[in-house]
Amino acid sequence: MTDASRFFRTPKRPSLNSLSWTKLASSPVLSDEERQALEDAALTPRAVRAGDEIVREGQATDQLYVMADGWALRAKTTRDGGRQIVGLAVPGDLANLDSFLFGRPDYGVRALTHGTVVGIPRDRLLALTAAHPGIGRALTWCALVENAGLSQWALCLGRQGAQQRLAHLLCELAARLGADDGAGVAFTLPLTQEHLADALGLTAVHVNRVMQQLRADGLIITVGRSVTIPDPERLRALADFDPAYLHLEGDATIPPTVLAPHAAPMPAGV
Amino acid sequence: MTDASRFFRTPKRPSLNSLSWTKLASSPVLSDEERQALEDAALTPRAVRAGDEIVREGQATDQLYVMADGWALRAKTTRDGGRQIVGLAVPGDLANLDSFLFGRPDYGVRALTHGTVVGIPRDRLLALTAAHPGIGRALTWCALVENAGLSQWALCLGRQGAQQRLAHLLCELAARLGADDGAGVAFTLPLTQEHLADALGLTAVHVNRVMQQLRADGLIITVGRSVTIPDPERLRALADFDPAYLHLEGDATIPPTVLAPHAAPMPAGV
DNA sequence: CGGGAGCTTGAGGGAAGTCAACCGGGGTGG
DNA sequence: CCACCCCGGTTGACTTCCCTCAAGCTCCCG
């Protein structure tokens, strides 16, 4: 009965080595020409397996990785072994934006599922920004979106209880995956309760209990790795979730005179 | 007896409407020419008083504000009135970087002290990035630095106890203010315990108790608004503090070929 | 002198952590 | 093919950190 394609949402993705559908390339500040230049800079995709370390914490990298397929997590660790997940990358996201300007990232990136990453050499990208101002803006845009996400994450960690945090994370993921089509919502969540704990600043045991509570309240239905949200509005209300901070609509504020002096970029495309 | 200039640290700041000493302009990715272009884009400084709202949460802005003098806080609120401070801006910092590309910030900015802000019109800045790739990079650099700070903040909020969080914040501020000269460290902290609580995800009452503990342990000495750290190394050890994430040294990784094809920018001239 | 803002202190409660054990399933190796 | 094991989820008892509520205190300022 469960039509798999409904649950395992796949963003429209014309061809695997095309970046056009990714967050970077689809940022609202790029001209078509610039989008193409980005494509050309991308290296051939590389397969990663669940658990693979894509970027080791504190180790230099000279590439930006785009998650072409699969999920990854960004995490920092404390001296005494504590781990905090500071970001989740779903298909289309940049895995290690910081590497664009920093020699060594201060977090590690690890694949959560099997997947594919597309590398873009830092030097290539830097050179591109000189010729194409929009590419620089796209990178800034991505950084600012991550920023907004981290701020929201901090708000949750600092000021919300366990239930709200978990609910909020689920709402965020549903929204980012585009699984939130108004009615019922479902997606595959490749995170163990331990992962969730590290993301939410809780322990796995407590995540378990909170999850049971959400299930008991009919807010979520889980079977295996798949999560169904029967009544998104109710979960959003509990989580105090407002998707604005995700900037999914590409709500950049660029005066037309600045953006694309010669191209016709944005809404009425070609 | 207390030589004020030792405690109220003032970064070297040639003239008030010069941005050269600020985080944006001193980012390691700018040529001198670009630095000058930035200066020229800045509006005349505006005075703000403690408590003034510089940017209202959720309200559109068309300027970037540089804190030329004084402190400001960035905060988000939850529906039920909870407040989380998601950033502190000290002299030289950008107050609302997000406004560079986003129409409305998802946080509010409020002055903590009397001070001065320098506005830069968004349009001006956007136009500049087209002519000067380094300016775009500088903005990205600032965004990435904020990102790193927010990640660290998340790590603290999620995985450290109250003492460590407070200690960490104090270490961070000391480092950012440049007050940390190896030996004893002192600076003025214009935050109430309530502010600290909102930053650390605690209550004011608990901040009070934790602070007393730090005092009792001889880790900090407070008199009025001034904080002295007699043994920075010990506090850093408690806080698990490593200043790398602040990127104070301007550790950007830019190949010389990309940065400034005609200028002589960085260390060894020509 | 009164009042407010910020700091301090105490008593009691609740949310989340810790420790420890058990279970179910899927992989692996004998 | 079965036994084993490991991983992830689940449950229970106990502890601890931090919150809540409430009051008193000390400044500073009008």
Side-chain angles (χ1 to χ4, degrees):
Chain A
M1 74 235 74
T2 65
D3 174 9
S5 66
R6 267 193 25 145
F7 291 109
F8 296 74
R9 166 183 158 86
T10 322
K12 42 282 169 197
R13 175 183 333 166
S15 100
L16 201 60
N17 70 0
S18 161
L19 298 179
S20 64
W21 58 279
T22 65
K23 184 182 264 181
L24 175 61
S26 66
S27 81
V29 293
L30 281 179
S31 69
D32 290 341
E33 182 192 351
E34 289 165 339
R35 241 175 282 272
Q36 187 56 49
L38 259 185
E39 300 276 352
D40 296 343
L43 304 177
T44 58
R46 175 161 75 85
V48 295
R49 283 172 321 167
D52 279 2
E53 211 162 25
I54 298 174
V55 176
R56 188 182 304 270
E57 185 168 353
Q59 189 156 56
T61 333
D62 56 3
Q63 286 184 36
L64 248 63
Y65 292 107
V66 178
M67 293 306 296
D69 196 27
W71 293 41
L73 62 81
R74 268 191 291 273
K76 289 171 69 91
T77 51
T78 60
R79 194 165 10 98
D80 54 5
R83 186 171 73 151
Q84 176 67 42
I85 293 178
V86 293
L88 293 172
V90 304
D93 286 343
L94 279 163
N96 59 332
L97 178 53
D98 314 46
S99 300
F100 172 56
L101 288 181
F102 296 159
R104 70 188 67 252
D106 40 23
Y107 51 73
V109 179
R110 190 177 287 274
L112 275 163
T113 66
H114 296 221
T116 316
V117 298
V118 176
I120 308 179
R122 189 208 338 266
D123 298 358
R124 259 326 263 291
L125 206 47
L126 277 166
L128 280 183
T129 59
H132 303 283
I135 291 183
R137 279 196 287 266
L139 288 160
T140 310
W141 184 79
C142 286
L144 293 179
V145 171
E146 276 192 19
N147 237 292
L150 282 165
S151 297
Q152 182 60 43
W153 209 303
L155 176 65
C156 287
L157 288 172
R159 283 288 172 241
Q160 318 242 251
Q163 276 202 353
Q164 283 191 293
R165 283 187 232 173
L166 178 53
H168 197 281
L169 180 60
L170 294 176
C171 287
E172 170 176 329
L173 289 173
R176 285 170 59 187
L177 292 168
D180 195 339
D181 51 7
V185 168
F187 58 95
T188 304
L189 181 70
L191 298 171
T192 65
Q193 294 184 347
E194 183 113 30
H195 286 136
L196 290 171
D198 285 340
L200 302 171
L202 302 168
T203 53
V205 172
H206 202 242
V207 165
N208 183 300
R209 295 199 236 260
V210 168
M211 214 153 185
Q212 289 176 53
Q213 191 57 49
L214 291 184
R215 277 194 292 252
D217 294 347
L219 288 162
I220 60 173
I221 302 166
T222 64
V223 15
R225 295 263 102 124
S226 93
V227 176
T228 306
I229 305 174
D231 184 350
E233 193 42 59
R234 208 149 63 87
L235 193 65
R236 276 195 290 266
L238 169 66
D240 193 11
F241 176 77
D242 172 0
Y245 74 94
L246 294 170
H247 298 277
L248 293 173
E249 307 307 328
D251 55 348
T253 308
I254 310 274
T257 50
V258 170
L259 182 64
H262 30 65
M266 296 252 55
V270 175
Chain B
M1 73 238 72
T2 64
D3 175 8
S5 66
R6 265 194 28 143
F7 291 108
F8 297 73
R9 165 181 160 87
T10 323
K12 41 283 167 196
R13 177 184 331 166
S15 100
L16 202 60
N17 70 358
S18 160
L19 298 179
S20 65
W21 58 280
T22 65
K23 185 183 263 183
L24 175 61
S26 66
S27 81
V29 293
L30 281 179
S31 68
D32 291 340
E33 182 191 351
E34 289 166 339
R35 239 175 284 272
Q36 186 57 49
L38 259 185
E39 300 276 351
D40 297 343
L43 303 179
T44 57
R46 174 160 75 86
V48 295
R49 283 174 322 167
D52 279 1
E53 211 162 26
I54 298 175
V55 177
R56 188 182 303 271
E57 186 167 354
Q59 190 156 53
T61 331
D62 57 1
Q63 286 185 36
L64 248 63
Y65 292 107
V66 178
M67 293 307 297
D69 195 25
W71 293 42
L73 63 81
R74 269 190 292 272
K76 289 171 69 89
T77 51
T78 60
R79 192 165 10 98
D80 53 5
R83 186 171 74 149
Q84 175 68 42
I85 294 179
V86 294
L88 293 172
V90 303
D93 286 343
L94 279 162
N96 59 333
L97 178 52
D98 313 45
S99 299
F100 172 55
L101 287 181
F102 296 158
R104 71 188 66 254
D106 40 22
Y107 51 71
V109 179
R110 189 176 287 277
L112 274 164
T113 66
H114 296 223
T116 317
V117 297
V118 175
I120 309 179
R122 190 206 339 264
D123 298 358
R124 258 327 262 293
L125 206 47
L126 277 165
L128 280 183
T129 59
H132 302 284
I135 290 182
R137 278 198 286 269
L139 288 160
T140 311
W141 184 79
C142 285
L144 292 179
V145 171
E146 275 191 21
N147 238 295
L150 283 165
S151 297
Q152 182 60 43
W153 210 304
L155 176 64
C156 285
L157 287 172
R159 284 289 173 239
Q160 318 241 253
Q163 275 203 353
Q164 283 191 294
R165 282 187 233 173
L166 178 53
H168 198 281
L169 181 60
L170 294 176
C171 287
E172 170 176 328
L173 289 174
R176 286 169 59 188
L177 292 169
D180 195 340
D181 52 7
V185 168
F187 58 96
T188 302
L189 182 70
L191 297 170
T192 66
Q193 294 185 349
E194 183 112 29
H195 286 136
L196 289 171
D198 286 340
L200 301 171
L202 302 168
T203 54
V205 173
H206 200 59
V207 165
N208 182 299
R209 295 199 234 261
V210 168
M211 215 153 181
Q212 289 178 53
Q213 190 60 46
L214 290 183
R215 278 195 289 253
D217 294 347
L219 288 162
I220 60 172
I221 301 165
T222 65
V223 15
R225 297 261 101 126
S226 93
V227 176
T228 306
I229 306 175
D231 184 350
E233 192 41 60
R234 207 149 63 89
L235 193 65
R236 276 195 289 268
L238 169 66
D240 195 9
F241 176 77
D242 173 359
Y245 74 95
L246 294 171
H247 299 278
L248 293 173
E249 305 308 328
D251 55 349
T253 309
I254 311 274
T257 49
V258 170
L259 182 64
H262 28 67
M266 299 246 61
V270 174

